[in-house]
Amino acid sequence: MSLVPWDVQVKIGQLAAFVAALATALISSARRRHPRAAPDPPKPPPARTPLPAHVVPCRSAPATAAVTDLCTCVSELASDLAKRYADDDRRRPGPDAHT
């Protein structure tokens, strides 16, 4: 740029500043004339039914039979374990039998 005279450089700078100001003015006026669309208002929640439907299972017998069987098995297992530990305690020597 040193080969270009100073007054020409000033004129080019002034022209560039004018073009930038003109472009800014045009863009801002276009935005004012055509504003962006506002976001849609939130939709109201869907209407709820006043009372939910009451569902009653048709047969619950298999479930209760399974629970009864499970309780019986647990009870028998507990009884067997109690007998086993009682027999083990009888076979062990007492704390004062150190001979």
Side-chain angles (χ1 to χ4, degrees):
M1 288 290 264
S2 62
L3 298 176
V4 179
W6 179 251
D7 57 337
V8 175
Q9 290 181 13
V10 170
K11 292 292 181 188
I12 291 174
Q14 288 176 344
L15 180 64
F18 175 73
V19 169
L22 182 65
T24 303
L26 288 175
I27 290 172
S28 63
S29 67
R31 283 188 179 171
R32 272 188 249 130
R33 286 186 194 150
H34 303 289
R36 293 181 181 173
D40 293 335
K43 295 179 181 178
R48 299 180 104 182
T49 56
L51 294 174
H54 185 67
V55 178
V56 178
C58 59
R59 288 187 296 169
S60 61
T64 56
V67 170
T68 304
D69 288 344
L70 180 64
C71 289
T72 303
C73 290
V74 170
S75 174
E76 290 175 359
L77 178 63
S79 176
D80 291 344
L81 287 174
K83 287 178 186 175
R84 174 186 279 177
Y85 284 118
D87 289 341
D88 287 347
D89 286 342
R90 284 187 208 134
R91 291 183 193 156
R92 284 190 192 163
D96 45 328
H98 292 291
T99 52

